[in-house]
Amino acid sequence: MEKKEKITDKKTALLDATLNLVNNHGFHKAPMSKIAKLAGVAPATIYLYFENKQDLINSLYLTVKASFSEHAFKGYEDGLPVKKGFEIIWYNIADYKLNKIDEATFLSQCDNTPIIDEAVAEEGLKHLQPLLDLWEKGRKEEIVKPLSNYILYAYTVYPLSFLLAIQEKNYYKLNDEMRQKAFQSAWDAIKI
Amino acid sequence: MEKKEKITDKKTALLDATLNLVNNHGFHKAPMSKIAKLAGVAPATIYLYFENKQDLINSLYLTVKASFSEHAFKGYEDGLPVKKGFEIIWYNIADYKLNKIDEATFLSQCDNTPIIDEAVAEEGLKHLQPLLDLWEKGRKEEIVKPLSNYILYAYTVYPLSFLLAIQEKNYYKLNDEMRQKAFQSAWDAIKI
Amino acid sequence: MEKKEKITDKKTALLDATLNLVNNHGFHKAPMSKIAKLAGVAPATIYLYFENKQDLINSLYLTVKASFSEHAFKGYEDGLPVKKGFEIIWYNIADYKLNKIDEATFLSQCDNTPIIDEAVAEEGLKHLQPLLDLWEKGRKEEIVKPLSNYILYAYTVYPLSFLLAIQEKNYYKLNDEMRQKAFQSAWDAIKI
Amino acid sequence: MEKKEKITDKKTALLDATLNLVNNHGFHKAPMSKIAKLAGVAPATIYLYFENKQDLINSLYLTVKASFSEHAFKGYEDGLPVKKGFEIIWYNIADYKLNKIDEATFLSQCDNTPIIDEAVAEEGLKHLQPLLDLWEKGRKEEIVKPLSNYILYAYTVYPLSFLLAIQEKNYYKLNDEMRQKAFQSAWDAIKI
DNA sequence: CATGAATGAGGGTTCATTCAT
DNA sequence: CATGAATGAACCCTCATTCAT
């Protein structure tokens, strides 16, 4: 057990270091040497855990995406009424994006930049299936507008990325009341 | 006149080349040498028109942002009713984002990445003032929900960036009917 | 006449500009573009007056060296007694080195650096002939020690370069009294 | 111990290579690539031992200056009579300048050129203190003329730089007899 | 497992020089 | 005569990656 943990330790440290550097300075200006230093490790050590820089970034992306999905569906289960289910997921995602700022910022950067290999990016898309299923159900029950999943996503989850970015730049801080209003707008946008 | 045009020619060619390379391969992997080659120019020539790479990127950002604003408010004037005015602006922006794909993609990348100097990024924010004024009017007339501009933007304009990205990845093509539905969702999200 | 002067004007301006830049920043960091700008001329214009950068430097060296020699022998004539003649020349050189600081500094830099083509440097050496003749006479009359011209030079004229450098760095300012003492030391070093 | 030596090896090789190239071709025309090649090392390796080119030059300057001082005061001790002490130091310096030609030439170039950072240059000045103390003593005992240290230096040590340069250009070779005469001139210049 | 020294390839940038005007 | 735009070559430096230890 101890050995396995040690491995995870350094791997995690490297992923964390990468996250911070890429977030704060961009993919360029996040050299392997700095990543190593920030992780408290020698540069060559990185290559024991990752094939190369691209693999490191890809791995980080998938790791963060997985953690995101895990949070997104916390407390959610299949049988719930559409609005209730949507509410749970939306608030979960909002919590994630507005609290786990670094992770969310990194995902934003990946989604708007060609730094992630396309194949890997596609793999990251599969995580939202339960939400897509819920929307399908909502459309059938004529509670949700007959719009494609893309549009539903664009008007409910995606706006949170903007609010995150704004908050990150310290222009603004989203309190509980505003969060409720934001949810209301999301729901208004897609409900029939 | 001829000389001035020639200058503009090369400068424009350089900006275009940068746009394409940064869009398709990211800021890293858009070396000056490739930019020069794509623009049909020697690398050293870039430095006749821009101080350095950062200045080139910043200039491109401001140029594109200006063109974006110009399109956003085409045919719009101050006195219009809130919904009508909003409709005009929204469709303008939708047209821009879904047709001038390269420009819009580049702006997305800049807004989600630390490649633009902060001072320059702030300068780019000033362009939306007429829309903000319109929203203020809408709130006063109790047509628009009493939400901050950030939230209004997040639920109306920002979703278009997602639709653009989706379309760009060829998963989807937004036709006129869907565009109308998308507008409806935007309006539903913020109207009282 | 006017045209000739105009030519001389620009040529002189270029030589002056080069002198200043090389003195203050070194041969490297004295690019042709800056030289041109300081001289109020386009870069390409330099090549109307000089073959290339090396020729510009060489020309400057010879020009300054000529001006130096001219000053060195002002008021001197062949028939004078050895000590009197030496005194005149020494004071002339001292005046030049301690007043025409830029020129003297430049000569120092050239003499201690491989920036001047060797052939040109040798040509610059011929200018001191009258002093060498005077020394020859002094040795014959057994007023001056039987030392080679190099050593005589090293102990009389060359020390002034050091005093110049010191003065230039503002550590020190040589007044008339000290100058007389300095001359005394020079004479003591070589007189029998 | 072995590792430390290896490090010193490459660092020394780089300093040596720099010395040679700067001496023979000047600071410009001593590109990092050539320095590396002459040291038997890849260009990037230089940056393991020095921050940048300026740091390399500065380090070389301080290294050589230290070696110079060490030689200058070999066999000298404080209590010696003024003339005897001066003789020892003068001959030490003469030996250094006329034998360790490369080092001395480099120092000359540094002292007459703005290639060394000023702060570093000043640090190099501190090394001659024992000689300055000796002169102070000589002035008090009325053996040495009441001249500033600068002038004393100009007429005793500095002339050796000229003799070095002459010798380096192969115009001349200073044998023991001439060296004694040169010392006599130095002493004549400053003794009362 | 872990490392730090080492590097080849390539990055951004400068510059002496040219050429059409 | 004079120019300024243009450039090829070279410069300094960085960095992802490797390899002996």
Side-chain angles (χ1 to χ4, degrees):
Chain A
M1 195 83 245
E2 204 194 46
K3 245 184 180 172
K4 182 60 186 271
E5 266 174 17
K6 234 182 179 177
I7 286 182
T8 309
D9 258 3
K10 280 192 180 163
K11 195 165 186 174
T12 306
L14 282 166
L15 290 170
D16 283 355
T18 307
L19 183 69
N20 281 324
L21 284 173
V22 171
N23 263 0
N24 293 325
H25 306 105
F27 181 84
H28 75 300
K29 296 202 179 171
M32 296 296 258
S33 55
K34 273 190 192 167
I35 291 173
K37 189 172 288 176
L38 189 56
V41 151
T45 305
I46 301 181
Y47 294 86
L48 297 178
Y49 298 97
F50 304 96
E51 278 182 29
N52 50 38
K53 194 177 181 184
Q54 188 61 55
D55 180 40
L56 168 57
I57 296 277
N58 288 344
S59 298
L60 176 57
Y61 178 73
L62 289 177
T63 303
V64 174
K65 201 84 180 181
S67 121
F68 168 76
S69 314
E70 198 193 321
H71 280 76
F73 299 104
K74 208 170 270 174
Y76 172 79
E77 43 188 288
D78 271 0
L80 290 172
V82 171
K83 184 176 178 184
K84 183 63 193 171
F86 175 69
E87 198 174 346
I88 289 174
I89 296 171
W90 191 93
Y91 274 102
N92 278 340
I93 294 179
D95 280 346
Y96 188 88
K97 294 225 172 185
L98 299 173
N99 292 326
K100 299 228 168 186
I101 295 174
D102 286 345
E103 282 85 345
T105 302
F106 178 74
L107 289 181
S108 258
Q109 196 167 163
C110 291
D111 290 335
N112 291 282
T113 281
I115 65 174
I116 299 294
D117 287 347
E118 229 167 296
V120 175
E122 278 185 38
E123 203 182 325
L125 283 180
K126 299 177 189 161
H127 291 296
L128 285 174
Q129 200 54 48
L131 179 56
L132 308 188
D133 293 344
L134 183 66
W135 280 337
E136 180 58 24
K137 186 176 162 202
R139 279 188 296 255
K140 275 192 187 147
E141 297 179 3
E142 297 190 348
I143 296 171
V144 167
K145 291 178 186 164
L147 299 169
S148 78
N149 287 331
Y150 294 129
I151 296 188
L152 296 179
Y153 185 87
Y155 281 95
T156 54
V157 176
Y158 193 66
L160 289 167
S161 294
F162 183 77
L163 298 179
L164 152 71
I166 290 301
Q167 188 179 275
E168 177 65 352
K169 285 179 184 166
N170 286 318
Y171 297 147
Y172 195 78
K173 172 70 187 172
L174 215 70
N175 59 27
D176 273 6
E177 191 200 338
M178 318 225 99
R179 205 176 296 202
Q180 284 172 34
K181 287 185 177 173
F183 171 73
Q184 188 59 48
S185 284
W187 182 245
D188 287 346
I190 66 166
K191 76 150 195 278
I192 285 184
Chain B
M1 196 80 258
E2 206 194 45
K3 239 183 184 169
K4 184 60 186 272
E5 266 173 19
K6 235 183 179 174
I7 286 183
T8 308
D9 261 0
K10 276 189 183 161
K11 194 166 187 175
T12 305
L14 283 166
L15 290 171
D16 284 355
T18 307
L19 183 70
N20 282 325
L21 284 173
V22 171
N23 264 359
N24 294 325
H25 305 105
F27 180 85
H28 75 298
K29 298 204 177 170
M32 297 298 255
S33 54
K34 275 189 192 167
I35 291 174
K37 191 171 289 178
L38 188 56
V41 154
T45 304
I46 301 180
Y47 295 88
L48 294 178
Y49 299 97
F50 304 95
E51 280 184 25
N52 49 41
K53 192 177 183 182
Q54 187 63 56
D55 181 40
L56 169 58
I57 296 278
N58 288 345
S59 298
L60 176 57
Y61 177 73
L62 289 178
T63 303
V64 174
K65 200 84 179 182
S67 120
F68 168 76
S69 314
E70 200 193 319
H71 280 76
F73 299 104
K74 210 171 267 174
Y76 172 79
E77 43 188 289
D78 272 359
L80 290 172
V82 171
K83 184 175 177 185
K84 183 62 194 170
F86 175 71
E87 198 175 343
I88 289 174
I89 296 171
W90 190 93
Y91 274 103
N92 277 341
I93 294 178
D95 279 347
Y96 188 89
K97 294 225 172 186
L98 300 174
N99 291 327
K100 299 227 168 186
I101 295 173
D102 286 343
E103 282 86 345
T105 301
F106 178 73
L107 289 181
S108 260
Q109 193 166 166
C110 291
D111 290 335
N112 292 280
T113 280
I115 64 173
I116 298 293
D117 286 346
E118 228 166 294
V120 175
E122 277 186 36
E123 204 182 323
L125 283 180
K126 299 176 188 160
H127 291 298
L128 284 173
Q129 199 54 47
L131 179 56
L132 308 188
D133 292 343
L134 183 67
W135 280 338
E136 178 58 22
K137 188 176 161 201
R139 279 188 297 255
K140 273 192 189 147
E141 298 179 0
E142 298 189 347
I143 296 170
V144 167
K145 291 179 187 165
L147 299 170
S148 78
N149 288 330
Y150 294 128
I151 296 187
L152 296 179
Y153 186 88
Y155 281 96
T156 54
V157 175
Y158 193 66
L160 289 167
S161 295
F162 183 77
L163 298 179
L164 152 70
I166 290 300
Q167 187 179 277
E168 176 65 353
K169 286 179 185 166
N170 285 319
Y171 299 146
Y172 196 79
K173 172 69 185 172
L174 215 70
N175 58 27
D176 272 6
E177 191 201 338
M178 317 227 96
R179 204 177 297 202
Q180 283 172 34
K181 287 184 177 173
F183 172 74
Q184 189 58 49
S185 284
W187 182 245
D188 286 346
I190 66 167
K191 77 149 196 281
I192 285 184
Chain C
M1 195 83 247
E2 206 193 47
K3 244 186 179 172
K4 182 59 185 272
E5 265 174 17
K6 235 183 177 176
I7 287 183
T8 309
D9 260 2
K10 280 192 180 161
K11 194 166 187 176
T12 305
L14 282 166
L15 290 170
D16 284 355
T18 307
L19 183 69
N20 282 324
L21 284 173
V22 171
N23 263 359
N24 294 325
H25 305 105
F27 181 84
H28 76 299
K29 296 202 179 173
M32 297 297 257
S33 55
K34 273 189 192 167
I35 291 173
K37 189 172 289 176
L38 188 57
V41 152
T45 304
I46 300 181
Y47 294 86
L48 296 177
Y49 298 97
F50 304 96
E51 279 183 28
N52 50 38
K53 193 177 183 183
Q54 189 62 55
D55 180 40
L56 169 57
I57 296 277
N58 288 344
S59 298
L60 175 57
Y61 177 74
L62 290 177
T63 303
V64 175
K65 201 85 181 181
S67 121
F68 168 76
S69 315
E70 199 193 321
H71 280 77
F73 300 105
K74 208 171 268 173
Y76 172 79
E77 42 187 290
D78 271 359
L80 290 171
V82 172
K83 182 174 179 185
K84 183 61 193 172
F86 175 69
E87 197 174 345
I88 290 174
I89 296 172
W90 190 94
Y91 274 102
N92 278 341
I93 294 179
D95 280 347
Y96 187 88
K97 293 227 173 183
L98 300 174
N99 292 326
K100 299 229 169 184
I101 295 174
D102 286 345
E103 282 85 347
T105 301
F106 177 74
L107 290 181
S108 259
Q109 195 166 163
C110 291
D111 290 335
N112 292 280
T113 280
I115 64 174
I116 299 294
D117 285 347
E118 228 167 297
V120 175
E122 277 185 38
E123 203 182 324
L125 284 180
K126 298 176 188 162
H127 291 295
L128 285 174
Q129 200 55 48
L131 179 58
L132 307 187
D133 293 343
L134 184 67
W135 280 337
E136 179 59 23
K137 188 177 161 199
R139 280 188 296 256
K140 274 189 187 151
E141 298 180 2
E142 297 190 349
I143 296 170
V144 167
K145 292 177 187 165
L147 300 169
S148 79
N149 288 331
Y150 294 129
I151 296 188
L152 295 179
Y153 185 87
Y155 281 95
T156 55
V157 175
Y158 193 66
L160 289 167
S161 295
F162 183 76
L163 298 179
L164 153 69
I166 290 301
Q167 189 179 276
E168 178 64 353
K169 286 180 185 167
N170 285 318
Y171 297 147
Y172 194 79
K173 172 69 186 173
L174 216 70
N175 58 28
D176 272 7
E177 192 200 338
M178 317 226 97
R179 204 176 297 201
Q180 285 172 31
K181 288 184 177 173
F183 171 74
Q184 188 59 48
S185 284
W187 181 245
D188 287 346
I190 65 166
K191 77 150 196 278
I192 286 183
Chain D
M1 196 82 255
E2 205 193 48
K3 241 185 184 172
K4 182 61 185 273
E5 266 172 18
K6 235 182 180 176
I7 285 184
T8 308
D9 260 1
K10 275 188 184 163
K11 195 167 187 175
T12 305
L14 283 166
L15 290 171
D16 284 354
T18 307
L19 183 69
N20 282 325
L21 284 173
V22 172
N23 265 358
N24 294 326
H25 305 105
F27 180 85
H28 76 298
K29 297 202 178 171
M32 296 300 255
S33 55
K34 274 189 192 169
I35 292 173
K37 190 171 288 176
L38 189 56
V41 153
T45 304
I46 301 180
Y47 297 88
L48 294 178
Y49 300 96
F50 304 96
E51 278 183 25
N52 48 42
K53 193 177 182 183
Q54 188 62 56
D55 180 42
L56 169 57
I57 297 278
N58 288 345
S59 298
L60 176 57
Y61 177 73
L62 290 177
T63 303
V64 174
K65 200 84 179 184
S67 120
F68 168 76
S69 315
E70 200 194 319
H71 280 76
F73 299 104
K74 210 171 269 175
Y76 171 79
E77 43 187 289
D78 271 359
L80 292 172
V82 171
K83 186 177 175 183
K84 182 63 193 170
F86 175 69
E87 199 175 343
I88 290 174
I89 296 171
W90 190 92
Y91 274 102
N92 277 340
I93 293 179
D95 280 347
Y96 187 89
K97 293 225 173 186
L98 299 173
N99 292 326
K100 300 227 167 187
I101 295 174
D102 287 344
E103 282 86 346
T105 302
F106 178 73
L107 289 181
S108 260
Q109 193 167 165
C110 291
D111 290 334
N112 291 282
T113 281
I115 64 173
I116 299 294
D117 286 346
E118 229 167 293
V120 175
E122 278 187 34
E123 204 182 323
L125 283 180
K126 300 175 188 159
H127 292 297
L128 284 175
Q129 200 54 46
L131 179 57
L132 308 188
D133 293 343
L134 183 67
W135 280 338
E136 180 58 22
K137 188 176 163 202
R139 279 187 296 253
K140 274 193 188 146
E141 299 180 359
E142 297 191 347
I143 296 170
V144 167
K145 291 178 187 165
L147 299 170
S148 78
N149 288 330
Y150 294 129
I151 296 188
L152 295 179
Y153 185 87
Y155 281 95
T156 55
V157 176
Y158 193 66
L160 289 166
S161 295
F162 183 77
L163 299 179
L164 152 71
I166 290 300
Q167 187 180 276
E168 176 66 352
K169 286 180 186 167
N170 287 318
Y171 298 146
Y172 196 78
K173 172 68 187 173
L174 215 70
N175 58 28
D176 272 6
E177 191 202 337
M178 317 226 100
R179 203 177 298 203
Q180 283 171 34
K181 286 184 178 174
F183 171 74
Q184 188 59 47
S185 284
W187 182 245
D188 287 346
I190 67 167
K191 77 150 196 280
I192 284 184

